Amino acid sequence: MLMGIVVDGVAEVLNLAAADIEDTPDFGDGTETPYLLGMAKVKDKVKILLEIDQVLTSQDLHGLNDLMQEMKS
């Protein structure tokens, strides 16, 4: 399914070397974070990198489709 996401704004765009990207930490309690690609530290700030293909799951998309159908009714 081809889709896009509209955002209000972009704060910055960065080019990161693979060496700058660290694995996502273990949040414990069996918490799954497939939507997180990793983390990077840039100028003493932590940047969270999203795995965009995992941000909206097929279950989320199905729920959006159901909502759209309800709104049409």
Side-chain angles (χ1 to χ4, degrees):
M1 171 188 290
L2 181 62
M3 65 182 277
I5 298 176
V6 177
V7 297
D8 292 331
V10 175
E12 63 185 321
V13 176
L14 302 170
N15 288 318
L16 299 171
D20 295 334
I21 301 172
E22 298 178 15
D23 289 337
T24 305
D26 181 11
F27 292 103
D29 296 330
T31 302
E32 303 257 343
T33 55
Y35 49 86
L36 295 180
L37 177 65
M39 303 176 90
K41 193 169 187 177
V42 179
K43 297 180 184 174
D44 295 325
K45 292 185 179 182
V46 175
K47 305 294 183 181
I48 298 172
L49 309 174
L50 295 178
E51 179 64 67
I52 198 66
D53 291 335
Q54 298 293 323
V55 171
L56 291 177
T57 65
S58 59
Q59 183 178 4
D60 296 329
L61 295 174
H62 184 70
L64 287 174
N65 188 39
D66 291 346
L67 179 61
M68 293 298 289
Q69 294 302 321
E70 288 177 20
M71 292 175 68
K72 289 180 181 178
S73 303

